[in-house]
Amino acid sequence: EGAIRFEDVRFGYDPDRQILKGVSFEVPAGKSVAIVGPSGAGKSTISRLLFRFYDIQGGRITIDGQDIAAVTQESVRKVIGIVPQDTVLFNDTIAYNIAYGRPGASEDEVRRAAELAQIAGFIEKLPDGFRTMVGERGLKLSGGEKQRVAIARTILKAPPILVLDEATSALDTHTEQGIQAALDLVSKNRTTLTIAHRLSTIVGADEIIVLKAGEIVERGGHEALLRQG
Ligand code: ADP
Ligand code: ADP
């Protein structure tokens, strides 16, 4: 479940400037594909189109064979979890920020997700910038900790498809390793699309696609691409 297919997808934010110039690739159910390429290549645009934020202007995007243009944005988002580069938390406890991943989840389920993401120690706190009714200040979270909240939310949501948007690129190596373990856990047996700037941040993708100026210029396994540099 969760197979993604882009067939000759064409798209531009402005009609006179094509950003994706006929992009085709497939992520078989349960497999992992990473998209790398320079800034401005159109990588994030691919994830936005998968979320149906915009309508494509040519080609087709399917999930499990279903054209996503034929269903609501809401139903598309239901099957996709995202760990964004920058996680925005809202004014409620970290636990509630996690529970948002799956409304109706029990306290135990939220706690378990938090444990897997290694943030169980502070889920009763509010995020930074907010205050409780008795004036207690929110907890200052690092970028990595915020990402763990997003990971916990995704663990709880357990969607068939996972999108990792430059998941670990902005973090220092020490934090990155902890996050990587948590990410490996969420992406296991799940269709995963990773968007990254650098080849070096991608671990264990079944296929890597190199996107340049809206076109796929290379694809293959990790080692073959590293050899080419
Ligand atoms: P990447 O993720 O590879 O860095 P993006 O997909 O974010 O690239 O952007 C591809 C191109 O589309 C860039 O030239 C960018 O300036 C342009 N772009 C991105 N978002 C918008 C937008 N909302 N409106 C117009 N142009 C955009
Ligand atoms: P759900 O309630 O199904 O989890 P959300 O309302 O949280 O859906 O939205 C889905 C996700 O889309 C959000 O986590 C948001 O961060 C993400 N998102 C926002 N902008 C972009 C973007 N440009 N590209 C990809 N994902 C994005």
Side-chain angles (χ1 to χ4, degrees), residues 176-192:
E176 207 172 283
Q177 280 168 1
I179 298 264
Q180 195 57 55
L183 284 175
D184 288 347
L185 202 119
V186 230
S187 57
K188 200 162 179 236
N189 300 323
R190 200 154 279 162
T191 310
T192 307

Side-chain angles (χ1 to χ4, degrees), residues 44 47-48 51 53 77-78 80 82 84 100 157 165:
S44 299
S47 72
R48 287 174 208 139
F51 273 98
F53 285 153
R77 283 175 161 217
K78 217 171 271 172
I80 306 176
I82 179 164
Y100 173 79
K157 183 176 173 180
D165 196 355

Side-chain angles (χ1 to χ4, degrees), residues 66-97:
Q66 164 84 66
D67 191 334
I68 64 166
V71 296
T72 62
Q73 190 195 49
E74 198 188 11
S75 66
V76 174
R77 283 175 161 217
K78 217 171 271 172
V79 297
I80 306 176
I82 179 164
V83 179
Q85 204 168 8
D86 236 330
T87 302
V88 179
L89 300 176
F90 50 82
N91 184 11
D92 208 315
T93 61
I94 307 284
Y96 197 86
N97 271 275

Side-chain angles (χ1 to χ4, degrees), residues 9-13 18-20 45 49 54-57:
V9 171
R10 289 162 197 277
F11 174 78
Y13 295 94
Q18 274 223 315
I19 299 295
L20 298 182
T45 300
L49 295 179
Y54 301 93
D55 290 326
I56 58 175
Q57 290 139 12

Side-chain angles (χ1 to χ4, degrees), residues 2-229:
I4 304 167
R5 206 176 146 93
F6 273 57
E7 297 168 25
D8 197 27
V9 171
R10 289 162 197 277
F11 174 78
Y13 295 94
D14 308 307
D16 54 346
R17 185 167 165 244
Q18 274 223 315
I19 299 295
L20 298 182
K21 303 163 184 169
V23 166
S24 303
F25 66 90
E26 218 177 316
V27 194
K31 297 287 183 189
S32 160
V33 167
I35 300 177
V36 296
S39 182
K43 303 183 298 294
S44 299
T45 300
I46 287 177
S47 72
R48 287 174 208 139
L49 295 179
L50 182 63
F51 273 98
R52 260 210 75 189
F53 285 153
Y54 301 93
D55 290 326
I56 58 175
Q57 290 139 12
R60 218 160 77 100
I61 301 173
T62 65
I63 294 178
D64 292 325
Q66 164 84 66
D67 191 334
I68 64 166
V71 296
T72 62
Q73 190 195 49
E74 198 188 11
S75 66
V76 174
R77 283 175 161 217
K78 217 171 271 172
V79 297
I80 306 176
I82 179 164
V83 179
Q85 204 168 8
D86 236 330
T87 302
V88 179
L89 300 176
F90 50 82
N91 184 11
D92 208 315
T93 61
I94 307 284
Y96 197 86
N97 271 275
I98 296 170
Y100 173 79
R102 185 154 61 81
S106 74
E107 236 172 87
D108 265 3
E109 289 170 315
V110 171
R111 179 161 295 280
R112 230 173 299 132
E115 276 165 7
L116 290 170
Q118 298 168 23
I119 50 170
F122 51 80
I123 58 172
E124 298 313 327
K125 302 278 187 189
L126 289 179
D128 189 27
F130 301 114
R131 274 172 195 268
T132 65
M133 283 196 299
V134 293
E136 189 195 347
R137 296 173 70 91
L139 194 64
K140 188 151 186 65
L141 300 177
S142 69
E145 285 166 336
K146 278 190 214 162
Q147 242 181 6
R148 281 165 203 260
V149 176
I151 290 170
R153 186 186 284 167
T154 308
I155 290 172
L156 191 67
K157 183 176 173 180
I161 296 174
L162 181 66
V163 174
L164 305 179
D165 196 355
E166 295 179 312
T168 59
S169 59
L171 306 166
D172 64 71
T173 340
H174 177 73
T175 329
E176 207 172 283
Q177 280 168 1
I179 298 264
Q180 195 57 55
L183 284 175
D184 288 347
L185 202 119
V186 230
S187 57
K188 200 162 179 236
N189 300 323
R190 200 154 279 162
T191 310
T192 307
L193 187 65
T194 303
I195 311 285
H197 274 295
R198 290 171 296 141
L199 203 50
S200 58
T201 57
I202 298 160
V203 206
D206 296 301
E207 190 183 30
I208 294 167
I209 287 169
V210 182
L211 191 74
K212 276 190 187 149
E215 287 177 289
I216 294 175
V217 294
E218 205 97 63
R219 60 177 90 203
H222 206 232
E223 275 158 36
L225 288 176
L226 276 180
R227 259 199 309 277
Q228 289 167 18

